[in-house]
Amino acid sequence: MKTQKVVTLTQFISEQQSLFPDSSGDLTRIFMDIILAAKIVNRDVRKAGLVDILGTHGTTNIQGEEVKKLDVLANEEFMSALSLGGDCCAILSEENDDVVHVQNHINNKPKYIVAMDPLDGSSNIDVNASIGTIFSIFRRRSMAWNPVTMEDCLQKGINQIAAGYIIYGSSTMLVYTTGQGVNGFTLDSSIGEFCLSHPDIKIPKDGKIFSVNEGNYAEFPKGVQQYVDYCKESDTATSRPYSARYIGSLIADFHRNLLKGGIFIYPPTAKAPSGKLRLMYECNPMAFIMEQAGGKASTGDRRILEVIPEKLHQRVPLFIGSENMVKLAESMYKSGLSQELNG
Ligand code: FDP
């Protein structure tokens, strides 16, 4: 019987590190901490209906959103793995108002900062739909022995060293990039390892899926309304109408579109003029992955990765997915804006 060659995420990362003989191994160890926390959160998600971790925590986060128990738990797991690992100097989490400085006893010159959304798509927790974790890693600018500054934390997305997400779906997957393409690993729970299942992921240039919360249609800018109408029109040459797919969990919607081709839009709305999604730990990491997979990510008028962050929990509109779909949505959005300006 032929045995199938299994490449684990740990082996894959170690191999990548060996390509850079001068590397300190800090980034690899941060990945190991993330993998450990992901396995723990995965275990908790899988028994969510059995133990008392469903429902709300009774507090709200800095964005005024209701915090779910699993949000708190996932945040604690990632914070604890990264802090105990000792290879990053600061963590920016959706669940913490401010940057958490890591007191370091292990690595006395940690140079990496981690931004993360420990549990994205929380409104799906109680209904058994896919949720996930998003992370972004970048290098501090100031010298390692000085306290981490706000400039260290508020860097453009193009400065990311690595980004990834874990999707807790029908199976659990970790997808990441370090700027050398995108690879996906599925958790084989029988051996407790993430195994390479989706090497070198590339998104099709065109897709047939559009993902947007159409409930907000009346509040969308004109150009976004026009693009949504376009997606729903019949046209055999372009295989329209496209399919509408929106779970309301960024990672799940993103992951499907990444594998099949499509566009995800969270536009500005009348109620939320900057959109809903956060730049540092949602849009930037997803944009890095999307570009590495051959797709495109935009605020509607500029590349996500070039937005200069002003605040830790800043929101930006997001148009992300297959290159040609994002280009068209962007151009309709822009011409809609100029139509609105000119009355
Ligand atoms: P959630 O509020 O459930 O955490 O970032 C938050 C997010 O989910 C994304 O995962 C998701 O794409 C979006 O909000 C859904 O927002 P709407 O409910 O407004 O569509």
Side-chain angles (χ1 to χ4, degrees), residues 158-223:
I158 41 170
N159 292 349
Q160 289 172 104
I161 302 293
Y165 61 87
I166 299 120
I167 176 165
Y168 311 100
S170 45
S171 63
T172 295
M173 268 189 83
L174 189 149
V175 175
Y176 85 99
T177 184
T178 51
Q180 322 276 330
V182 180
N183 291 285
F185 299 79
T186 302
L187 182 63
D188 180 339
S189 46
S190 66
I191 56 168
E193 293 279 2
F194 284 97
C195 301
L196 182 61
S197 52
H198 296 65
D200 197 20
I201 299 172
K202 292 286 175 223
I203 183 169
K205 293 271 173 231
D206 292 285
K208 298 188 182 67
I209 296 173
F210 71 105
S211 311
V212 62
N213 185 345
E214 267 197 86
N216 296 329
Y217 181 90
E219 292 195 13
F220 288 166
K222 196 176 180 142

Side-chain angles (χ1 to χ4, degrees), residues 59-270:
T59 54
T60 50
N61 64 16
I62 191 168
Q63 278 111 154
E65 297 159 340
E66 194 177 63
V67 173
K68 303 271 179 175
K69 285 182 193 167
L70 255 176
D71 280 316
V72 175
L73 210 91
N75 193 41
E76 283 171 5
E77 295 302 350
F78 279 94
M79 283 288 176
S80 133
L82 288 164
S83 313
L84 289 174
D87 285 291
C88 63
C89 50
I91 308 166
L92 159 62
S93 165
E94 189 202 7
E95 300 305 331
N96 297 102
D97 301 359
D98 296 314
V99 173
V100 174
H101 297 260
V102 176
Q103 297 305 322
N104 236 300
H105 305 292
I106 298 169
N107 181 341
N108 63 6
K109 284 189 198 153
K111 50 186 178 292
Y112 293 112
I113 297 173
V114 178
M116 63 172 183
D117 183 350
L119 209 75
D120 181 68
S122 334
S123 48
N124 283 304
I125 296 173
D126 293 355
V127 295
N128 269 13
S130 299
I131 45 181
T133 298
I134 310 175
F135 61 91
S136 155
I137 304 173
F138 45 98
R139 199 177 277 125
R140 62 184 297 177
R141 287 173 160 170
S142 59
M143 292 305 199
W145 42 86
N146 292 327
V148 175
T149 64
M150 212 32 125
E151 287 73 51
D152 288 326
C153 298
L154 294 177
Q155 295 191 46
K156 286 193 219 172
I158 41 170
N159 292 349
Q160 289 172 104
I161 302 293
Y165 61 87
I166 299 120
I167 176 165
Y168 311 100
S170 45
S171 63
T172 295
M173 268 189 83
L174 189 149
V175 175
Y176 85 99
T177 184
T178 51
Q180 322 276 330
V182 180
N183 291 285
F185 299 79
T186 302
L187 182 63
D188 180 339
S189 46
S190 66
I191 56 168
E193 293 279 2
F194 284 97
C195 301
L196 182 61
S197 52
H198 296 65
D200 197 20
I201 299 172
K202 292 286 175 223
I203 183 169
K205 293 271 173 231
D206 292 285
K208 298 188 182 67
I209 296 173
F210 71 105
S211 311
V212 62
N213 185 345
E214 267 197 86
N216 296 329
Y217 181 90
E219 292 195 13
F220 288 166
K222 196 176 180 142
V224 176
Q225 289 180 336
Q226 284 166 349
Y227 183 73
V228 170
D229 295 344
Y230 167 88
C231 291
K232 299 197 296 190
E233 269 164 24
S234 284
D235 177 52
T236 20
T238 51
S239 305
R240 285 179 290 143
Y242 298 148
S243 292
R245 294 282 183 277
Y246 188 78
I247 301 173
S249 173
L250 172 63
I251 296 183
D253 284 311
F254 177 97
H255 187 68
R256 182 201 46 246
N257 293 356
L258 177 69
L259 298 184
K260 293 182 181 274
I263 185 170
F264 174 96
I265 304 177
Y266 208 107
T269 62

